[in-house]
Amino acid sequence: MEQRISLVTLGVADVARARAFYERLGWRGQEVEETVFFQAGGLALVLWGRAKLADDAGVDDPGGGFGGLTLAQNVRSRDEVDDLLATAAAAGAEVTRPARETFYGGYAGCFADPDGHVWEIAWNPGFPLGPDGTITVPDFGA
């Protein structure tokens, strides 16, 4: 298996509501057959009905809440962390962890979208960002 991710699909209770939330964050998507696709760098973030996603994956849906997964966006500065958390809150997100210093020398905070999907917004000086926003995992000397 190649070491890459092509799409991240979020199961949502209401596709229109979820799309409106992400568009309030400044994202622009395309809807096809009740599924919304957002280009997100080299991959796509997809919104699809939660029940349909569970059925398609062949799993039972325990029904909302934290699913043991967080999404993250690294940014270029501490100020950008604060700005994005404020934008998310204004768009209807719940800030689940206000921004603070991290154990790795960075600065980060978290929010949950209207369906409970958790996003971490982080400034991490150890993970440089390219001009297009891609991260480079550093050599940890393993």
Side-chain angles (χ1 to χ4, degrees), residues 8-12 22 45-50 53 69 71 113 117 119:
V8 172
T9 303
L10 302 180
V12 299
Y22 283 95
L45 179 74
V46 182
L47 306 176
W48 196 22
R50 187 176 177 104
L53 180 61
L69 171 84
L71 303 166
D113 76 7
H117 301 291
W119 283 82

Side-chain angles (χ1 to χ4, degrees), residues 59-127:
V59 299
D60 291 327
D61 180 9
F66 181 65
L69 171 84
T70 62
L71 303 166
Q73 184 179 100
N74 282 25
V75 296
R76 291 179 175 80
S77 71
R78 296 169 53 92
D79 288 342
E80 196 171 352
V81 171
D82 292 330
D83 291 346
L84 281 175
L85 289 175
T87 297
E94 173 192 354
V95 175
T96 59
R97 190 185 83 213
R100 64 180 182 223
E101 302 294 324
T102 65
F103 69 92
Y104 54 79
Y107 184 72
C110 296
F111 70 83
D113 76 7
D115 287 282
H117 301 291
V118 177
W119 283 82
E120 178 186 47
I121 306 300
W123 169 72
N124 183 340
F127 280 70

Side-chain angles (χ1 to χ4, degrees), residues 20-32:
F21 170 79
Y22 283 95
E23 288 183 345
R24 285 190 300 271
L25 292 180
W27 293 47
R28 294 293 167 250
Q30 299 179 64
E31 187 166 345
V32 178

